[in-house]
Every structure is written in structure tokens, then in C-alpha cells.
Amino acid sequence: MTVAPAADRLVAEALAEARSTRPVGPDTPAGPARQRWTGTPVDLAPGDGPLDLGRLLAFSLAARPLRPGGPRSTRLRPVASAGGLHPVNAHLLVGPGCSLPPGRYAYDPLEHRARRRGPAPSQAPAGTVVVLTVTAQRTASHYGHRAWPLLLLDTGHAAAALAMAALAHGHHARLTLDAAADTLTAAAGLPAPGRWSSVWPGTTPEHPLAAVHVTARAPAEPLPCPLTAWGTEPDAAPPAAGPAPSPAGARAGVVLDALCRTAAPATWWRAKAPFTGQEPSLAWAITNRRSAPPPLDGEPRPGDLAAVLAAARDAAPYGPSWCAAVGGPQPGLVTADPSQPETPRRIATGEARPTLAVWAARQTWLATAGAVLLAEGLPDAAPAARIRAEHLAAGYAAACAELTATARGLRTRPVGSWQAADLGAALGGPAGRRWIVHGLAAASRPSHSWSDHR
């Protein structure tokens, strides 16, 4: 991946600030719960074609009603998000073989409808490409200078939600977490990075970060990048008027644009189910996965913890390493061991959870959590492209680990905000080499686990 040195410096400074203990300022308005687009609304009821987009989105990104027949909640969604703010937007690039006619669409998760924004190119690839963007102000409104890493993690969770929903319904999914912002915006029919305000003044900017390509079945041969064909179409319909971001939101947007400034071609890789065997179906796990409220006491059984760690480790072809802090009679850090899949391997001794509670914005309940999975790595000298890819991959891996934990009856809660969390230095190693990127608390089975309903 080739990135301008200036972008590396800008991102390195922003990452040091996000990792610091400097407190966040007062909250600012988050803005609307979703972007409103001016295109023609289209129903997502089942239609012609083997790929049912309504069902795919209902299982992945749709908000759910507070009660039967009632309004949809901005928080009740089947994908985790820091602070329940849900900044991730989905642009559907629909080709042949889908329940919607080919074209560009923006998805509204509260109405569970699509807005048609423009036509499809004549050579549009089969299936749908979902370009994931973020509205930075949603997260910056509460997290300030710490927002942009959380925006990356949230996008990784959303990418996993789409990919796992596709697999749960027998479809094929592949992802890119390193496509250039110029490529993503051109495909989605959005203004190029840095030009949103001049092209669509008076509207709220979005920043593209990743894409997921879903097809009804696995292709017979390797496919070219599906974004290329869509990039030949001009910008599509703009959104309705919306608020400008706060200074913190604008700053987060600048960092995100710098992270995605690359001349390298996009790397695509195939999604795979995070678990197999005797667990319930992936669809069941998706339906029942929720962030559990604290406390999350009760250490998971060794076999369950090993499976969850392995799911995080194996989710993506790259990303940070994963370990877990445990308590009990022998507290310490453990990791998955391919040679002993039922037993985590101990890599450090000593009680780490109280320190983790301080590092995680003083969330004191972590001190007694059953286990705390940790994605760790990203040294101070990491280039911008790696920082982007590994944060996205960490969110993706945490989502896959959550589904595995849910299938085994465990309770989980993602932990995305970490300050001064230099795990390597705390273990006696050199400073600035092994930072905590993401976390996932896990606790032993509640009384209403899946095994009670088999």
C-alpha cells in the first residue's frame, strides 16, 4: 500500500492524541440518526432474483421496532456501535440477480427502505456491492478526538454483519478493507474526498471506508474488482440538506480521508463462517447477538474461550493479534493455540483486568469480567494504510467472535475506547509496540442459553 508521507504524519499525530488520556470535551449534537436522500423510495419486499436484499439488510443493518407495529429504534440494530450512535451508512450498488432493479441506492435503516439514486452501468457485476461510509459527526459528538478509531471499528462490525448475513442465507460474500477513497466514492456516486462541501453544499458529508460484495452463489472463477465498473457512472442524486459537522467531526473526517489515500489496488478476500460443528445456525446467532449490559461476571469455560479467540484470530487474512485476560485461581493472559483447540495457551501471568478497566475509559465493570478479549498491535511507527486496515479488521474480527460466543451461550460486550493502553510496555516490553486496538468482554452462560432450547 502506498500512502503519502504527509498522510502518515497526520494520522500518527491523530492516533497519539486518540490514545492519550486527554479528556473529551462536552458533547455536541449528533445530528440526524441517518442521512436523508432525495432519490425515489423503493420497497425492499421480496422480488425477482435469487438475492433478496430486504432479507439481507434486515439481518444485518436494519433498526428494529421497539414493539410490534411500533416505530423503529435508532439503537435496536443487529450490529454493535460505540455509544449506540450508529454512524455507518450503506450505499447499494445493485447489479443483475437481485430483488431490486439494477441501480445505485442509499439504504435507510430506520424505514428499512432504499432510495434510488441513479442507474447501473451496462456491465454491472452480478449481486450487490455495499459501499460503507460513515457520518463522522455521529461518533465525534460524544467521543471528540477519540472518534475516528471508533468509526473504523464500527465499520468493521457493519462489514461483518453484512458478510455473515449473506453466509447465513447461503450466499457468497467478499470484502475489501483497503480500497482507495477515490475508488469507493466514484463507485457509490459520491463526491471525491475533500470535495463534498463544494459539490453538495449544505449537506452532511460521508467518508467511505470499506465495501462488501454479495452474490447469490460463489463465482466459478476469480472476479475482478466490482468497484471498477461502477466508477464509470457520474455522481448520483445528492442527499437532502443536513447539518455541518462540529470541529471535532470535521477533524475526524480529515483523518479518515488521509487513512484512505492510497494508489494501491483494492484487495478482496472471501468471508467465511466463524464457527462450524454442533453450535446453532449462523442465522440463529445473528438473530440473538446483542451487547449485554454489565456486569459480565463468570469466566467462560476453556473450550468456549478458545473457540471465541480462534474465531477472532481467523476472521480476516490480516489484522491485530488476539489474546484474552482472565481471572480465577490463575489470572493472566491467554491466546488460542491451533495445536490444542480446546484449551487456551497461557502467555502471561498476573491479574490484568483492573488495569484494563482503567485503560478502557474507567469502565470499572471490566475488572470482574469473565474474560476480556484484546486485539493488540499497531506500533507507533505503523503507516496510515496499516492503521486503517487493522482497525477495520479488528472490528470485523470482534463481530465474528461475538457470533461464536453467542452460539456457545456466552454474553459479550465490545469495548472500543482505550487510552494509554500500551499492553507491551505493561508486560515489560518496549513502549509503543503493542497497543490495544479493540476489546470484547465475554461472560459465562446465562440461564437462558441456547442449550436450554435445543
Side-chain angles (χ1 to χ4, degrees):
M1 302 178 185
T2 304
V3 181
D8 282 345
R9 290 194 297 271
L10 186 153
V11 172
E13 292 171 359
L15 184 59
E17 184 182 38
R19 287 171 168 172
S20 75
T21 57
R22 181 167 77 84
V24 174
D27 281 4
T28 57
R34 85 294 208 194
Q35 185 89 278
R36 291 187 178 275
W37 291 88
T38 57
T40 305
V42 181
D43 193 6
L44 284 170
D48 295 334
L51 182 55
D52 185 341
L53 296 179
R55 184 168 63 172
L56 173 72
L57 293 163
F59 259 72
S60 55
L61 302 181
R64 298 189 175 182
L66 290 168
R67 58 186 180 278
R72 291 177 180 264
S73 167
T74 60
R75 297 178 68 91
L76 295 180
R77 307 196 198 190
V79 59
S81 174
L85 291 164
H86 296 286
V88 182
N89 315 293
H91 293 271
L92 314 177
L93 315 183
V94 179
C98 297
S99 56
L100 287 179
R104 282 190 179 122
Y105 299 82
Y107 177 59
D108 185 332
L110 301 190
E111 294 183 0
H112 187 50
R113 301 181 81 181
R115 291 265 176 177
R116 185 176 175 86
R117 299 182 51 234
S122 59
Q123 299 299 317
T128 185
V129 183
V130 184
V131 175
L132 297 174
T133 70
V134 291
T135 304
Q137 179 59 24
R138 296 288 305 160
T139 302
S141 68
H142 182 64
Y143 293 97
H145 62 276
R146 300 174 185 168
W148 66 265
L150 299 174
L151 289 159
L152 293 166
L153 296 176
D154 272 15
T155 304
H157 279 269
L162 282 162
M164 294 303 110
L167 299 185
H169 290 97
H171 301 319
H172 176 273
R174 58 178 182 149
L175 306 93
T176 179
L177 305 181
D178 62 2
D182 287 340
T183 302
L184 292 167
T185 53
L190 303 173
R195 299 192 63 246
W196 186 292
S197 296
S198 61
V199 175
W200 289 339
T203 65
T204 303
E206 297 181 10
H207 303 272
L209 294 175
V212 183
H213 183 200
V214 180
T215 53
R217 57 188 62 86
E221 57 187 29
L223 295 175
C225 177
L227 298 169
T228 304
W230 285 96
T232 61
E233 292 294 307
D235 287 355
S246 67
R251 171 67 174 171
V254 170
V255 176
L256 294 175
D257 288 346
L259 284 165
C260 301
R261 196 178 304 156
T262 176
T267 304
W268 291 84
W269 44 273
R270 181 175 179 175
K272 60 182 180 180
F275 60 85
T276 58
Q278 300 302 311
E279 286 82 13
S281 71
L282 183 56
W284 185 95
I286 292 171
T287 302
N288 288 275
R289 187 220 63 80
R290 283 294 180 273
S291 295
L296 271 73
D297 302 343
E299 186 173 341
R301 296 186 304 183
D304 291 337
L305 182 56
V308 176
L309 279 166
R313 178 198 64 200
D314 299 337
Y318 51 78
S321 301
W322 285 85
C323 63
V326 296
Q330 294 183 306
L333 297 179
V334 299
T335 191
D337 187 346
S339 65
Q340 298 182 356
E342 292 298 318
T343 306
R345 175 171 56 87
R346 187 168 295 273
I347 57 175
T349 59
E351 179 60 88
R353 294 172 300 166
T355 299
L356 296 177
V358 174
W359 286 349
R362 300 190 178 275
Q363 297 185 66
T364 56
W365 60 271
L366 279 175
T368 59
V372 185
L373 278 72
L374 303 170
E376 49 96 4
L378 276 185
D380 289 340
R386 180 179 171 187
I387 291 169
R388 171 205 179 183
E390 294 209 5
H391 274 86
L392 290 168
Y396 183 89
C400 292
E402 281 186 283
L403 292 174
T404 303
T406 300
R408 288 176 169 258
L410 304 182
R411 294 166 290 151
T412 60
R413 186 175 185 85
V415 184
S417 189
W418 297 88
Q419 284 76 56
D422 190 339
L423 184 63
L427 294 174
R433 299 291 298 276
R434 295 172 59 189
W435 292 92
I436 296 177
V437 178
H438 199 11
L440 180 70
S444 57
R445 288 181 172 87
S447 59
H448 56 279
S449 70
W450 170 77
S451 59
D452 297 329
H453 301 283
R454 280 189 285 185

